[in-house]
Amino acid sequence: MSEFEIAQHVLNTLRQAESAEPQAAVPLLKKLIGLVNGDGSEQPFEVEEARSTAFMAICEYAKALHRGQPAEELWPEAIHATKKWQSLAGSPALA
């Protein structure tokens, strides 16, 4: 999968997690860890930084869900960070 496709998959999973109960959302989000962590392939710095930001935002969202804490404000941050990552991953200027 390309970096863009990975980001797209992550975005789709985040959208599924939003409508799921926390007990179902947390396992969905845990499955993203390996994808968002990267496969070790060399990416432009901007893409790496955006992926890292998405990773942290998704972890914060999953952690809040797991702990039963309010996560409504964290979901948009995870979506925004993932969209930025996807945008940069698909940018011909950075390819």
Side-chain angles (χ1 to χ4, degrees):
M1 253 194 287
S2 71
E3 190 80 8
F4 180 85
E5 291 169 328
I6 293 169
Q8 181 63 46
H9 177 73
V10 170
L11 193 57
N12 291 339
T13 303
L14 281 171
R15 289 182 175 138
Q16 289 175 341
E18 180 197 24
S19 60
E21 292 294 322
Q23 301 87 350
V26 171
L28 286 173
L29 298 170
K30 282 185 177 182
K31 290 179 183 177
L32 296 178
I33 299 299
L35 286 175
V36 181
N37 224 0
D39 62 2
S41 64
E42 189 72 26
Q43 297 293 325
F45 176 76
E46 293 86 352
V47 175
E48 294 285 343
E49 183 178 42
R51 184 189 321 121
S52 176
T53 301
F55 177 78
M56 293 304 296
I58 292 165
C59 286
E60 289 300 315
Y61 176 56
K63 189 168 41 173
L65 288 175
H66 177 71
R67 293 178 176 168
Q69 298 171 334
E72 301 83 27
E73 293 181 18
L74 298 172
W75 185 82
E77 292 176 26
I79 288 289
H80 176 74
T82 304
K83 283 182 175 181
K84 181 175 180 183
W85 169 32
Q86 181 185 34
S87 173
L88 290 170
S91 173
L94 296 176

